Amino acid sequence: MRADFYMMSEGTGGDDDVGVKLDTRTKTKRPPLYKVLILNDDYTPMEFVVHVLERFFGMNHAQAFELMLTVHKKGIAVVGVFSFEIAETKVAQVMDFAQRHQHPLQCTMEKE
């Protein structure tokens, strides 16, 4: 918070009053972030998951392969953290892409 000081006087030559002017600034709150998660299943080919990670999350092949292995071993992995709108769009894109290719791959989001 910033304070500007100034003197106020009554033009009659009387006692001087001291005033304080306060400038308050509203602090904007950052929007909440959401984790996008990919879940393992027993039917979606590993290479398809790698392709999804490269295509929709901008990963190179090595990054996508490592994350696919994490999903495969742990059953779930965070693939990115985004604003609500972007996370929602990514989930919808992945789900639509998987359905069009007849894979049961699941992608979800949750608040960070």
Side-chain angles (χ1 to χ4, degrees):
M1 186 179 330
R2 192 177 125 212
D4 289 331
F5 295 95
Y6 64 92
M7 298 289 290
M8 295 174 36
S9 64
E10 300 177 290
T12 61
D15 294 333
D16 287 344
D17 293 332
V18 176
V20 177
K21 176 185 170 195
L22 299 175
D23 284 343
T24 57
R25 294 195 176 118
T26 307
K27 197 166 192 171
T28 52
K29 191 175 176 186
R30 295 204 135 190
L33 296 176
Y34 291 79
K35 296 185 283 191
V36 175
L37 306 139
I38 291 207
L39 287 73
N40 188 43
D41 64 72
D42 293 333
Y43 304 100
T44 304
M46 291 179 175
E47 278 305 313
F48 183 79
V49 175
V50 169
H51 180 68
V52 164
L53 295 171
E54 291 171 344
R55 180 173 178 162
F56 297 106
F57 298 96
M59 296 181 188
N60 64 37
H61 188 76
Q63 292 169 322
F65 189 82
E66 283 299 314
L67 196 57
M68 176 276 300
L69 286 178
T70 300
V71 172
H72 182 69
K73 291 174 185 174
K74 295 187 176 183
I76 191 168
V78 175
V79 294
V81 179
F82 308 96
S83 67
F84 178 82
E85 293 80 10
I86 294 174
E88 187 178 49
T89 300
K90 298 255 185 215
V91 169
Q93 289 173 328
V94 170
M95 295 297 290
D96 180 60
F97 190 69
Q99 287 174 348
R100 282 189 285 127
H101 289 86
Q102 299 177 341
H103 294 300
L105 182 64
Q106 293 295 303
C107 184
T108 62
M109 61 188 264
E110 66 181 39
K111 199 169 188 176
E112 187 175 48

